[in-house]
Amino acid sequence: MAEQEQRRRAGEWTGDRLERSAAHKTKKRGRDQFGRFRGLLRIAEAALKPVPRPLLQWMWVLSDWLPDLPGVAMRYVLLRRMAKRCGDNVLIGRSVELRYPERLVIGSNVSIHKQCYIDAYGGLIIEDEVSIAHQSSVVSFQHTWNDPSLPIRDNPVMGSAIRIGRDVWIGCGVRILAGVEIGARAVVAAGAVVNKPVAAGTLAAGVPARAVKSIGVGTPSAPEGA
């Protein structure tokens, strides 16, 4: 009897999990909201065309004061206006600092969560379906120290492009340094420092980041115009 009761409870638990999983799959995602309001977003984007870049940057800072959905919508429209190229359904969280957006190419269905630092000085391509968790940094330049007559902070900086492939997941607190390429469908574990290329279909972790295991290879696909 005890064994039958255990099986019955296990069946109920499994059924409950399957129901919740099905509900999660049918739940509307943020990209559905983008599709619903795409027309309004395009009108807002057109209205911003005559606005000078310094004012757009101020509007970016002020967008943090807006509630969730209006703030996301405003940052998306501003990014479409400022970036070299920006796809559809791009979510930018609060307090994301974006430097040199005119050198940024970003695909569709991308999310960059709150308190990230994104610097495209040396060039930055983020392909489709990429997720960057909170408090991560992507820095496409490095300081030089060749002139001893100047403090290191005053020596010239050297840009080096970064490319993040399709369907990449960047964990929270990751640091991606200049000149790095991360292959398609790779995962970078939380807290990693990426200073060398990460192969497609790889889980990378650690300081500095190293390949931990293979998780399967995706198919690279650059955003149009990259």
Side-chain angles (χ1 to χ4, degrees):
M1 290 292 291
E3 185 177 346
Q4 288 179 347
E5 179 65 15
Q6 266 190 337
R7 287 178 180 175
R8 183 184 67 80
R9 289 182 179 178
E12 288 178 354
W13 180 78
T14 303
D16 182 57
R17 287 201 65 181
L18 288 172
E19 284 180 12
R20 282 186 290 173
S21 176
H24 176 73
K25 288 179 180 179
T26 57
K27 183 180 177 181
K28 286 189 176 181
R29 294 180 294 180
R31 69 183 61 174
D32 300 319
Q33 299 295 330
F34 274 101
R36 183 180 176 187
F37 296 108
R38 183 169 286 115
L40 289 174
L41 293 171
R42 292 294 181 264
I43 292 171
E45 182 184 342
L48 288 175
K49 280 188 176 179
V51 178
R53 184 169 295 272
L55 184 54
L56 292 174
Q57 291 170 339
W58 274 106
M59 293 172 70
W60 181 273
V61 174
L62 293 173
S63 70
D64 285 345
W65 293 87
L66 293 176
D68 289 342
L69 286 179
V72 167
M74 184 173 179
R75 286 186 289 274
Y76 172 64
V77 170
L78 290 168
L79 183 62
R80 294 268 302 181
R81 174 67 177 80
M82 294 190 295
K84 182 177 180 181
R85 186 173 296 273
C86 177
D88 293 324
N89 311 326
V90 177
L91 182 150
I92 307 293
R94 281 195 177 98
S95 302
V96 170
E97 185 165 353
L98 185 60
R99 307 292 302 275
Y100 301 96
E102 67 276 9
R103 302 178 186 180
L104 168 65
V105 174
I106 188 167
S108 297
N109 304 324
V110 171
S111 58
I112 301 175
H113 293 270
K114 64 182 181 179
Q115 297 177 341
C116 286
Y117 180 88
I118 309 296
D119 194 313
Y121 175 84
L124 173 59
I125 296 174
I126 301 174
E127 297 188 16
D128 299 342
E129 309 289 349
V130 169
S131 180
I132 302 178
H134 61 281
Q135 297 182 337
S136 293
S137 300
V138 182
V139 183
S140 61
F141 72 91
Q142 56 187 346
H143 278 275
T144 61
W145 51 82
N146 298 327
D147 187 348
S149 67
L150 294 172
I152 292 175
R153 68 184 180 196
D154 295 332
N155 269 248
V157 297
M158 181 174 62
S160 186
I162 293 173
R163 188 182 196 106
I164 300 176
R166 180 185 175 89
D167 194 18
V168 167
W169 181 15
I170 307 296
C172 61
V174 167
R175 306 291 179 251
I176 300 174
L177 305 184
V180 163
E181 180 169 352
I182 300 177
R185 202 167 174 79
V187 174
V188 181
V193 176
V194 184
N195 63 352
K196 292 181 180 178
V198 175
T202 298
L203 169 63
V207 181
R210 300 180 185 277
V212 174
K213 65 177 180 179
S214 173
I215 58 173
V217 179
T219 303
S221 176
E224 184 180 352

